[in-house]
Amino acid sequence: MYLDLMKRALTRYAFGESWIRYHPRRNSLRSTLLRKGQRLLNRRDMDIVVRFPFDADERGNGRDWPPEAETMIGLRRLDNLEQCVTEVIRNQVPGDLIETGVWRGGACIFMRALLKAYEETDRVVWVADSFRGLPRPDPDRLEDVEDALWKEPFLAVPLDRVQANFRRYGLLDDQVRFLPGWFEETLPTADIERVAVMRLDGDLYDSTMVALDSLYPKLSAGGYVIIDDYHAVRGCRQAVDDFRRAHGIDDELHQVDWTCRYWRRPA
């Protein structure tokens, strides 16, 4: 019941929270969006913010951008995270838990809650993020340039806010460690010995590839790789496919929802 309540609180599913989205004024979909939602404000006469009513299916499947919830990944992806972490605990797969690209920290908070619920005191939750949004992609990464996620201020959440979110749930302690900075600067040299569950949510090609290059060699047999945006972001999918092909990985990619996929490293 504790873990179920955590999922419903972290997503605000329990409270029927509405959702918002920034849209440029020049966007051709602007008039349609305004008919469906409620216009909140102008931002320097460039963007608008549209508020939409709560939709249980959208929130459950992580398809909206919540204004207050600590995570936007939805209930189904949190269920998957619970399954993977629970399996490594029950099977005594050694290693820590990590998410690369944490936004407001909700998935990492849930991982810490799982360790608390199962009285696991020998594992650490690593929280890796720039805490200032996504990096501007290499110009040659056309799919990432076109998606322009680095331009979204909504995706930039400072470190102190993420730490405050952990504190809100009573889960900020010495089993939580933060890796602030761009992934290429932090992940290759991070003081992580072994990983049991790695959850990648860096969106971009290079962000995904550096996480795989840095962490997969540390993944224990029987551990899990979770890719949040495999079908939602083109650069992410290409990086995963390239990495798996280069390393001869043919383990089945299991479907979680409309975008998320995961695989288990064979024991």
Side-chain angles (χ1 to χ4, degrees):
M1 291 180 67
Y2 167 67
L3 293 173
D4 183 65
L5 181 59
M6 282 293 297
K7 286 184 281 191
R8 291 173 177 272
L10 288 165
T11 59
R12 298 301 189 275
Y13 190 93
F15 311 118
E17 181 190 45
S18 59
W19 61 284
I20 63 175
R21 186 72 187 264
Y22 291 102
H23 290 280
R25 278 181 171 272
R26 63 183 179 275
N27 194 313
S28 61
L29 296 178
R30 181 170 65 96
S31 60
T32 301
L33 290 166
L34 286 173
R35 285 196 299 270
K36 292 183 177 180
Q38 177 186 0
R39 175 175 172 170
L40 297 182
L41 53 89
N42 293 328
R43 193 175 63 182
R44 299 176 184 171
D45 292 328
M46 291 295 292
D47 297 340
I48 58 173
V49 180
V50 182
R51 182 180 294 275
F52 298 84
F54 175 73
D55 185 306
D57 183 67
E58 295 286 295
R59 184 61 52 91
N61 286 287
R63 286 182 176 271
D64 62 11
W65 285 17
E68 296 295 336
E70 286 85 14
T71 181
M72 64 169 74
I73 69 174
L75 293 176
R76 292 184 65 182
R77 272 171 266 174
L78 286 176
D79 287 341
N80 165 251
L81 184 56
E82 180 179 2
Q83 171 196 335
C84 293
V85 174
T86 301
E87 284 295 313
V88 300
I89 291 173
R90 288 176 176 168
N91 295 327
Q92 298 182 325
V93 176
D96 293 334
L97 317 176
I98 185 169
E99 183 176 44
T100 60
V102 307
W103 195 47
R104 294 176 183 157
C108 291
I109 293 170
F110 186 61
M111 285 193 281
R112 180 64 189 94
L114 282 159
L115 297 185
K116 187 177 184 71
Y118 287 99
E119 299 181 339
E120 285 280 308
T121 58
D122 295 330
R123 301 181 195 262
V124 168
V125 175
W126 294 87
V127 187
D129 201 285
S130 71
F131 301 104
R132 50 195 170 108
L134 279 72
R136 185 166 186 144
D138 186 296
D140 293 335
R141 302 290 184 204
L142 295 181
E143 62 276 10
D144 290 337
V145 172
E146 291 170 358
D147 288 344
L149 293 173
W150 82 93
K151 294 182 179 180
E152 295 284 359
F154 190 69
L155 300 178
V157 182
L159 175 59
D160 59 355
R161 181 173 180 187
V162 175
Q163 291 173 328
N165 289 339
F166 272 89
R167 195 176 295 113
R168 169 184 286 170
Y169 291 94
L171 294 171
L172 185 63
D173 59 17
D174 59 4
Q175 281 184 256
V176 180
R177 297 181 191 173
F178 296 88
L179 292 172
W182 303 124
F183 294 160
E184 64 267 23
E185 299 169 354
T186 61
L187 295 180
T189 58
D191 188 23
I192 304 172
E193 293 184 6
R194 304 181 84 174
V195 175
V197 175
M198 48 188 285
R199 188 176 196 284
L200 309 190
D201 196 0
D203 296 349
L204 308 180
Y205 183 98
D206 290 326
S207 299
T208 302
M209 185 61 79
V210 71
L212 287 166
D213 284 338
S214 302
L215 298 174
Y216 194 79
K218 300 179 179 182
L219 183 68
S220 297
Y224 289 92
V225 184
I226 304 171
I227 309 295
D228 186 85
D229 288 307
Y230 184 76
H231 274 295
V233 183
R234 294 170 293 171
C236 171
R237 180 173 183 172
Q238 187 61 55
V240 172
D241 290 347
D242 288 350
F243 181 85
R244 283 168 56 91
R245 186 181 306 110
H247 293 273
I249 299 171
D250 57 6
D251 308 308
E252 182 179 355
L253 268 175
H254 300 280
Q255 180 175 351
V256 178
D257 60 11
W258 64 282
T259 177
C260 185
R261 299 292 184 271
Y262 75 100
W263 79 88
R264 179 177 179 268
R265 190 168 196 173

